[in-house]
Amino acid sequence: TGFSASLSQTPSISSISSEGREDLQVNRLETQIWIKPDIQKTDVDFSEILNAIQEIAKDVNIFFDELEGVNSPSKDDDSLLHHGNLTSTSDDASRLEVVGEEVPDKNKANGLYFRDGKCRIDYILVYRKSNPQTEKREVFERNIRAEGLQMEKESSLTNSDIIFVKLHAPWEVLGKYAELMNVRMPFRRKIYYLHRRYKFMNRIEKQISRFRGWLPRKPMKLDKETLPDLEENDCYTAPFSQQRIHHFIIHNKDTFFNNATRSRIVHHILQRVKYEEGKNKIGLNRLLSNGSYEAAFPLHEGSYRSKNSIRTHGAENHRHLLYECWASWGVWYKYQPLDLVRRYFGEKIGLYFAWLGWYTGMLFPAAFIGLFVFLYGVTTLNHCQVSKEVCQATDIIMCPICDKYCPFMRLSDSCVYAKVTHLFDNGATVFFAVFMAVWATVFLEFWKRRRAVIAYDWDLIDWEEEEEEIRPQFEAKYSKKERMNPISGKPEPYQAFADKCSRLIVSASGIFFMICVVIAAVFGIVIYRVVTVSTFAAFKWALIRNNSQVATTGTAVCINFCIIMLLNVLYEKVALFLTNLEQPRTESEWENSFTLKMFLFQFVNLNSSTFYIAFFLGRFTGHPGAYLRLINRWRLEECHPSGCLIDLCMQMGIIMVLKQTWNNFMELGYPLIQNWWTRRKLRQEYGTQRKTSFPQWEKDYNLQPMNAYGLFDEYLEMILQFGFTTIFVAAFPLAPLLALLNNIIEIRLDAYKFVTQWRRPLASRAKDIGIWYGILEGIGILSVITNAFVIAVTSDFIPRLVYAYKYGPCAGQGEAGQKCMVGYVNASLSVFLVSDFENRSEPTSNGSEFSGSPLKYCRYRDYRDPPHSPVPYGYTLQFWHVLAARLAFIIVFEHLVFCIKHLISYLIPDLPKDLRDRMRREKYLIQEMMYEAELERLQKERKERKKNGKSYHNEWP
C-alpha cells in the first residue's frame, strides 16, 4: 500500500544527525502530509494508522531524548541500572510487558532472560563505571536502542564498578537483518532421492547386512536419541526474506533463529553503530580497542553440568549436551557431533573440529603402517646380518670420537645402538616413506571432498564473505589519501605502492634476521655438543663416561627444547610487530600475514636442529689426523659407530613428546588454574551458596576469553605436528602413532576447553580452513624431498644396497638378502695409523688395555684408502659408487613420488559425484517448491478477493 511504502521511506533515528528541533518539526509536518493521502486512497484500518502514528511519535521522543542526552552531563543511563539485584528493569523491556500476564519464573532464574522472563539475552557488553569513555558509550547505547535492540543494565555482584549491558533483538530486528545478511533458514523438508538399484546389488547388500548382524552395533556412533533433532539439517534452506516469510517453517518465532544466529546478528548490528560524529567513529571493535568496553561476548546456554543423568532426564541445554556427548572423556572413542558443534559455536569452529577429526581418522592407517614397520624391525632383529657383525666385532677397535679424553672403544660396545637403529632403519623404511608421501596427498585430496560435503550440509556452498571493513589502524595511517573502492564505489583510504613495497622489504628483512637468530641458536647447540662430549667422556661416573655421546645428545635435545620455547615467545612479538609494520588493509589480510610469519618462525625454530642432525651431523668432520674444526678450535661432532640415525630418532622423539605435553598443559592446564583461582576468591568472599546463585553473565565473565588470535594456536600446533609426522617420518616411523594418541586426547581437551573453560566465542562463518591448506600442501611437497634425503644420506640403506649388488658375496648375481651382507661392517670401515694423530687430538690412553700393547691401528666410518697406499686416506671407488647411488636414488624417488601424488590428485575429484547430483537435484526441487508456494499464495489471495467481491479482469493465474 501507499502507506507502507511511505513508511519504509521514513528516515531512521540512527541516520539523523544531531540538528535542532526545527528540522524535526518539519519532518513531523511531512509525516502528517504523506499519511493523509494514503488514508484517502486505500482502505486501511484506522487502528493500524493510529498504531503507526504512535510508533512514529515514539521514535520522535527517542530522538528528543538523544538530543538532550548528548548535551547533558555524563550519567551513563543510570536509569537502566539496578544495583545488587540478579534481575533488572529497562524502559524498553517494560514496554513489552502485558498487564496480567505471568512472568515465567524458570526463565528469570536461569540468568538467560530479561526481568520479564521473555526477552532472551543475545549479547553481553561489559564496562567499568570508572572508565572515562562515558560519552562515547552513551551515544553508542542510544544508537543501539534506535536500531531496535532492547537493553538492560546490571551491576556486578562481586564488583560494583563492573556493569553488564544485556542486549536482546526482537523478532522485527532479527528478520530485518537476517534478510540483509542473507541468513539461510529452513523452508521445506528434504525429499531424499533414491538411485535405481539393480537386483545383483540388492543381493550383495543383503549379504553385507547379514554379515553386519554378527558385528557390534557401531560403537563409535553417538546415540541418536541423545542428540536433538537439528531441523535445519533435514530441510532445504534459502536466504531469509520477510516478503516470503510464509515459505519458511516457523513453529515459534522465539526459537526460529537459534542462539548462535541471534548473537551473530546482534554483533553485526553493533559493528555498524556509531559512537561519535565522524566517518570512522563506528563499530564495537573500536570501542573495545580504546577501552570503552572491557568485554563483549554471547552467553553460554546455562550450566554444562546437571544433577540428573542425560539418559534418564535428557539434556538441560545444548551446552550440557555438548559436554556429555563431546567434551566428556567417556566418549573419547565416539565420533564428534559436528552438527551440534556448528550450531553452538558456528561454522568456523565447526570446520576446525571437522578437520581435526578427519586428520585424526586419517592417522589410523599411517600409525598402523608405522607400527608395522617398527614391529618388522623387531621380528627381523635376530636375522639382521649387520647388527650381528657389530655385536660380534670384539677385535675391531674404533678411533676416539673426540679429542684427548675420549678413549678407544670396541665396535661391539655399540651393539645395543646397532640393534635400536635396525628397528627404524630396515627394509620396510623406503616403503613407509613412499607410503607417507602418498598418504599426505590422499589426506589433502579427501579432505577437499569432505569439506565439500560439510559445506553442502552447512549451507556454505554459495556463501561468500562480505566486503570486509578496513582496519582502524590502516584508516588512521592513510586517511589523507583516498580512492574509490571498485566494489562498493565509496572512497576509502589508499596505501601507495612504493610505501607498501618498502614496508614489505623491511618485513622480509626482519624475517630473514630472525631466521638467522635461529641458525645462531643451532650453532650454539652444535658448540655445546662438541664441548660436552669431551666433558662427559672424562666424567667420574662410569655410566655417563661409557655413554658420553648419548648423554650429550639427550641433554642437547632438552636444552634445544627450552630454547625453542623461549624463542617462540620472542617470535610472537616480532611477528606481531612486523605484521603491524606492513599495515594490512583488512583483518583477513592481517591474519594471513601474521599466520605465515608465525608458521615460518616456529617451523624453522622447531626443525632447524633436526635438519642439522639429519643432514650435517658427521658429514663434514674430515678424518682422523685431519679433522675439520670450528674456528680452528673445536672438532666437529662425529656420528656414533652405529650411525647418525639414532641421534635423529632421539631428537624427534623427545621434541615431539615434550612439545605435545607442554602444549596440552598450556591449552587446558593454564585456563583451569586461572578459573580455579577465580572461583576460589569468590568462595572466600561470598561463600559457596552465593556462588551458585550468580547469573549466567556473571559466570561467563569469570571464564577466560578466547585467544586473541582465534583458532591460530590450535591450527599451528596441529600443522607443526603434521610436519613432524611427514617430513622426517623415514627416520622415526612411530611419529604417526604418537600423533594419533595425542590427537585423540587433543580433541577432547579442545572440546572441554571450549565448553567449560572459555567464554562462548562469537559464531562466525567460514568456507574452509583458509591459508592453512596451502601450508599443508607445502609441507607435503617438502616431506618428499626430506624423506628422499633421509633415506639416501642419513640411513645406511644405499651403502648396504651398493655393497650387496657390487662388493658383497652376491655381487653380480642380482640378489640382496641377508647372506649378501656378510662382511659389510668391515667394508664400511677404514683403517687409520694411530701415530698420524694430531697433537691436540691424540688420546690420553694408548689402547694397551685391549691387547696388552699400544695400538698401531684403529678403524673409523668412511670409505678411504689405508695409510700405506699411494694416496693415503684418499676416497675409494666404493665411496664414489655410493655417492652416485645416493644421488640417483634421490632423483628417482622424488620423481616417482611426485608422479604418484599428481596422479592421485588428478584421479580424485574435489567434489563427490553423488554430492554433485544431490546439489543439482536440490537446485531443481527448490525452484519447483518456490514456484508452487508462490502459486499457492496467489491462488489464496484470489479466493479471498472473490469472497470479498473484489475481482479483477486479466488476473494471473
Side-chain angles (χ1 to χ4, degrees):
T1 61
F3 174 73
S4 61
S6 302
L7 189 62
S8 64
Q9 298 173 2
T10 308
S12 63
I13 299 302
S14 60
S15 61
I16 301 177
S17 61
S18 300
E19 299 177 355
R21 297 176 182 266
E22 296 179 358
D23 295 336
L24 193 62
Q25 296 293 338
V26 173
N27 289 338
R28 182 179 291 180
L29 290 175
E30 290 176 356
T31 301
Q32 295 174 357
I33 290 171
W34 54 252
I35 285 178
K36 290 180 180 178
D38 289 334
I39 297 175
Q40 297 172 359
K41 292 180 182 178
T42 59
D43 299 330
V44 181
D45 190 2
F46 285 101
S47 61
E48 295 180 1
I49 298 175
L50 184 59
N51 292 334
I53 294 173
Q54 290 176 352
E55 290 293 328
I56 296 170
K58 183 172 66 175
D59 291 343
V60 171
N61 292 334
I62 293 175
F63 184 72
F64 274 128
D65 294 340
E66 181 178 348
L67 290 176
E68 294 173 359
V70 172
N71 298 324
S72 63
S74 301
K75 56 183 179 181
D76 230 355
D77 280 352
D78 288 338
S79 59
L80 300 180
L81 180 61
H82 290 256
H83 303 277
N85 297 327
L86 291 180
T87 56
S88 62
T89 61
S90 72
D91 296 337
D92 294 330
S94 61
R95 293 190 189 117
L96 297 177
E97 292 183 6
V98 180
V99 179
E101 185 174 352
E102 295 183 359
V103 177
D105 294 334
K106 183 179 179 180
N107 291 346
K108 291 172 63 177
N110 60 17
L112 299 175
Y113 290 81
F114 279 15
R115 185 183 67 86
D116 58 3
K118 300 177 183 178
C119 298
R120 188 177 187 91
I121 301 173
D122 297 321
Y123 213 80
I124 291 291
L125 302 177
V126 186
Y127 69 88
R128 293 182 180 271
K129 289 194 293 185
S130 58
N131 190 284
Q133 306 283 349
T134 306
E135 186 175 350
K136 293 180 181 179
R137 284 198 304 271
E138 286 181 0
V139 177
F140 185 73
E141 291 171 5
R142 288 194 179 92
N143 286 332
I144 288 175
R145 291 197 298 272
E147 288 290 339
L149 296 181
Q150 298 172 8
M151 183 187 305
E152 275 187 355
K153 289 190 177 182
E154 185 82 29
S155 62
S156 173
L157 295 177
T158 60
N159 188 348
S160 59
D161 189 43
I162 297 176
I163 305 299
F164 296 97
V165 181
K166 299 174 287 185
L167 301 178
H168 167 75
W171 168 258
E172 294 76 13
V173 177
L174 292 173
K176 172 186 174 182
Y177 281 95
E179 186 172 357
L180 292 175
M181 296 168 63
N182 290 322
V183 177
R184 300 182 70 89
M185 301 303 295
F187 72 93
R188 188 69 63 89
R189 287 280 181 181
K190 283 186 178 180
I191 302 174
Y192 293 98
Y193 177 71
L194 299 177
H195 295 280
R196 183 179 177 182
R197 303 286 180 138
Y198 295 96
K199 293 182 179 180
F200 177 72
M201 295 300 296
N202 287 334
R203 290 174 183 173
I204 292 178
E205 288 184 358
K206 286 181 181 179
Q207 295 296 329
I208 293 175
S209 61
R210 185 178 300 175
F211 174 73
R212 284 177 178 174
W214 297 91
L215 299 177
R217 294 287 183 180
K218 298 180 179 180
M220 297 177 69
K221 285 197 173 183
L222 291 166
D223 186 7
K224 291 185 178 180
E225 296 180 358
T226 305
L227 293 175
D229 181 20
L230 301 180
E231 188 176 65
E232 60 265 29
N233 295 331
D234 296 326
C235 297
Y236 295 116
T237 61
F240 183 76
S241 173
Q242 290 181 317
Q243 292 182 350
R244 297 180 177 180
I245 195 172
H246 51 279
H247 293 175
F248 295 91
I249 304 174
I250 304 178
H251 301 301
N252 186 350
K253 289 186 177 181
D254 293 334
T255 58
F256 179 64
F257 296 104
N258 61 45
N259 296 331
T261 304
R262 296 173 68 98
S263 300
R264 186 156 56 90
I265 291 174
V266 172
H267 182 78
H268 177 86
I269 297 172
L270 297 179
Q271 291 296 92
R272 287 154 179 80
V273 172
K274 283 192 172 185
Y275 61 85
E276 250 183 15
E277 287 298 328
K279 182 174 61 176
N280 301 325
K281 307 296 185 180
I282 185 173
L284 175 63
N285 284 347
R286 288 180 172 86
L287 290 176
L288 289 171
S289 60
N290 64 26
S292 298
Y293 286 100
E294 191 173 287
F297 52 89
L299 284 180
H300 279 295
E301 297 182 8
S303 175
Y304 63 89
R305 294 186 183 274
S306 176
K307 298 179 181 179
N308 304 318
S309 172
I310 192 174
R311 296 185 178 276
T312 57
H313 292 74
E316 297 287 338
N317 49 65
H318 283 158
R319 189 187 185 193
H320 179 216
L321 183 63
L322 279 172
Y323 177 77
E324 294 290 342
C325 299
W326 184 46
S328 176
W329 293 106
V331 294
W332 65 271
Y333 60 94
K334 290 185 178 291
Y335 294 127
Q336 300 181 84
L338 293 177
D339 290 329
L340 192 61
V341 175
R342 170 243 182 170
R343 179 169 184 166
Y344 194 82
F345 292 109
E347 286 79 3
K348 193 170 186 177
I349 295 177
L351 269 174
Y352 163 71
F353 281 102
W355 175 83
L356 181 57
W358 182 257
Y359 171 45
T360 304
M362 289 293 291
L363 279 174
F364 273 96
F368 175 78
I369 299 296
L371 184 61
F372 170 78
V373 171
F374 179 78
L375 294 178
Y376 173 80
V378 173
T379 55
T380 59
L381 184 60
N382 295 328
H383 306 286
C384 179
Q385 181 64 30
V386 176
S387 59
K388 281 182 180 180
E389 290 186 0
V390 171
C391 294
Q392 295 171 1
T394 56
D395 56 338
I396 297 179
I397 308 302
M398 301 298 295
C399 297
I401 59 176
C402 66
D403 293 337
K404 292 186 178 181
Y405 299 107
C406 291
F408 294 98
M409 59 181 296
R410 288 189 175 92
L411 181 60
S412 58
D413 292 342
S414 60
C415 176
V416 175
Y417 303 115
K419 291 182 178 180
V420 173
T421 300
H422 177 74
L423 300 179
F424 302 101
D425 185 13
N426 50 63
T429 303
V430 179
F431 160 74
F432 186 57
V434 176
F435 170 80
M436 287 303 297
V438 174
W439 172 87
T441 303
V442 172
F443 161 66
L444 293 176
E445 291 299 319
F446 276 94
W447 163 248
K448 285 195 286 188
R449 294 166 62 88
R450 173 64 176 159
R451 188 205 64 82
V453 174
I454 292 174
Y456 170 77
D457 291 337
W458 292 355
D459 290 323
L460 299 172
I461 294 292
D462 299 325
W463 178 78
E464 295 292 340
E465 290 191 39
E466 301 176 1
E467 177 66 16
E468 286 192 86
E469 295 181 2
I470 300 175
R471 298 177 64 243
Q473 295 86 346
F474 185 88
E475 287 180 339
K477 181 70 176 178
Y478 301 103
S479 58
K480 296 181 180 179
K481 294 182 180 180
E482 290 186 347
R483 71 172 182 180
M484 298 297 293
N485 187 309
I487 299 175
S488 63
K490 297 179 181 179
E492 65 178 17
Y494 167 69
Q495 184 182 15
F497 180 76
D499 180 76
K500 186 174 183 178
C501 286
S502 62
R503 291 178 178 275
L504 288 176
I505 291 173
V506 173
S507 179
S509 302
I511 295 173
F512 178 75
F513 173 76
M514 295 309 298
I515 291 177
C516 291
V517 172
V518 176
I519 296 174
V522 174
F523 185 75
I525 294 295
V526 171
I527 294 177
Y528 168 83
R529 294 172 69 105
V530 169
V531 174
T532 310
V533 69
S534 300
T535 305
F536 284 153
F539 214 73
K540 295 181 180 180
W541 295 348
L543 179 63
I544 296 179
R545 185 172 62 251
N546 297 333
N547 299 277
S548 59
Q549 197 162 16
V550 177
T552 300
T553 302
T555 55
V557 171
C558 294
I559 293 174
N560 184 33
F561 174 74
C562 296
I563 294 176
I564 287 172
M565 302 311 297
L566 290 175
L567 287 179
N568 283 345
V569 179
L570 175 64
Y571 290 154
E572 182 176 345
K573 296 181 180 179
V574 173
L576 193 62
F577 172 77
L578 293 178
T579 306
N580 291 331
L581 181 67
E582 291 178 7
Q583 291 291 349
R585 178 177 170 272
T586 62
E587 288 295 334
S588 63
E589 292 178 5
W590 189 95
E591 288 180 4
N592 290 339
S593 178
F594 179 77
T595 297
L596 187 60
K597 290 181 181 61
M598 281 296 295
F599 171 74
L600 285 176
F601 288 156
Q602 299 233 18
F603 181 81
V604 174
N605 188 27
L606 192 63
N607 294 284
S608 53
S609 295
T610 311
F611 271 89
Y612 164 74
I613 294 174
F615 305 127
F616 297 99
L617 179 63
R619 302 286 177 264
F620 309 101
T621 58
H623 62 87
Y627 287 117
L628 297 178
R629 298 179 180 272
L630 286 174
I631 323 175
N632 198 26
R633 180 179 179 182
W634 293 299
R635 169 183 162 184
L636 289 175
E637 187 182 5
E638 290 188 44
C639 291
H640 198 273
S642 61
C644 290
L645 201 66
I646 187 67
D647 294 328
L648 185 58
C649 292
M650 287 182 61
Q651 173 81 11
M652 291 191 63
I654 294 175
I655 290 293
M656 198 169 184
V657 171
L658 290 179
K659 188 79 165 59
Q660 291 179 347
T661 304
W662 176 260
N663 287 338
N664 289 336
F665 170 75
M666 291 302 295
E667 283 187 7
L668 184 63
Y670 185 66
L672 271 174
I673 293 172
Q674 284 186 317
N675 291 333
W676 170 81
W677 183 256
T678 302
R679 291 193 299 269
R680 181 176 178 273
K681 291 195 298 183
L682 292 177
R683 282 196 300 267
Q684 289 179 351
E685 190 170 353
Y686 299 97
T688 307
Q689 297 298 327
R690 186 67 182 274
K691 169 68 173 61
T692 57
S693 64
F694 284 168
Q696 190 63 43
W697 57 83
E698 192 96 37
K699 296 177 183 177
D700 287 4
Y701 177 71
N702 291 326
L703 296 177
Q704 297 302 308
M706 188 177 176
N707 192 298
Y709 307 128
L711 293 169
F712 169 79
D713 287 339
E714 280 72 21
Y715 273 118
L716 180 63
E717 178 187 356
M718 290 296 104
I719 299 300
L720 292 176
Q721 184 205 82
F722 179 80
F724 252 81
T725 306
T726 55
I727 292 178
F728 294 105
V729 73
F732 192 58
L734 293 179
L737 180 62
L738 293 180
L740 174 63
L741 297 177
N742 175 80
N743 286 7
I744 292 174
I745 300 173
E746 181 74 21
I747 291 176
R748 304 305 162 182
L749 280 180
D750 284 347
Y752 184 82
K753 177 177 62 180
F754 271 93
V755 173
T756 67
Q757 302 301 310
W758 278 1
R759 296 174 190 163
R760 185 176 183 177
L762 180 71
S764 54
R765 294 170 69 85
K767 294 182 69 172
D768 50 33
I769 61 175
I771 194 175
W772 297 109
Y773 185 83
I775 293 175
L776 286 171
E777 286 186 325
I779 292 176
I781 295 173
L782 180 62
S783 67
V784 177
I785 301 172
T786 53
N787 282 304
F789 274 90
V790 166
I791 296 172
V793 178
T794 310
S795 73
D796 289 338
F797 175 76
I798 298 299
R800 292 176 187 176
L801 211 61
V802 171
Y803 177 82
Y805 283 103
K806 184 69 177 175
Y807 298 96
C810 305
Q813 300 179 12
E815 297 181 10
Q818 291 297 327
K819 64 179 181 179
C820 301
M821 298 303 298
V822 176
Y824 167 76
V825 173
N826 187 58
S828 63
L829 297 176
S830 300
V831 179
F832 177 72
L833 187 62
V834 174
S835 60
D836 291 341
F837 267 122
E838 299 173 304
N839 292 331
R840 54 182 172 178
S841 301
E842 188 173 357
T844 55
S845 64
N846 57 9
S848 58
E849 64 271 16
F850 297 104
S851 60
S853 60
L855 286 175
K856 292 183 179 181
Y857 300 98
C858 65
R859 310 293 292 272
Y860 62 98
R861 282 173 55 93
D862 210 341
Y863 298 100
R864 292 183 181 270
D865 291 324
H868 302 295
S869 62
V871 183
Y873 308 117
Y875 287 117
T876 63
L877 183 62
Q878 187 176 357
F879 169 83
W880 299 108
H881 283 164
V882 171
L883 180 62
R886 281 173 169 168
L887 295 177
F889 175 84
I890 291 172
I891 295 173
V892 172
F893 182 88
E894 287 182 357
H895 282 71
L896 175 64
V897 174
F898 278 131
C899 287
I900 295 174
K901 285 169 68 71
H902 287 298
L903 180 63
I904 291 174
S905 300
Y906 175 76
L907 293 177
I908 300 177
D910 295 344
L911 203 64
K913 185 179 182 303
D914 59 338
L915 178 61
R916 188 183 297 112
D917 294 340
R918 285 165 60 193
M919 291 170 61
R920 291 175 179 174
R921 179 165 178 78
E922 179 173 331
K923 186 176 181 181
Y924 168 77
L925 290 175
I926 287 176
Q927 292 175 350
E928 292 291 322
M929 291 174 187
M930 297 295 285
Y931 172 76
E932 291 175 0
E934 192 68 21
L935 186 63
E936 183 180 355
R937 183 182 67 83
L938 293 174
Q939 288 175 347
K940 286 183 179 179
E941 290 182 356
R942 181 183 180 185
K943 290 179 180 179
E944 290 179 358
R945 285 198 298 267
K946 284 184 177 180
K947 288 181 180 180
N948 297 331
K950 296 180 180 180
S951 59
Y952 299 95
H953 296 289
N954 300 326
E955 287 184 335
W956 183 87

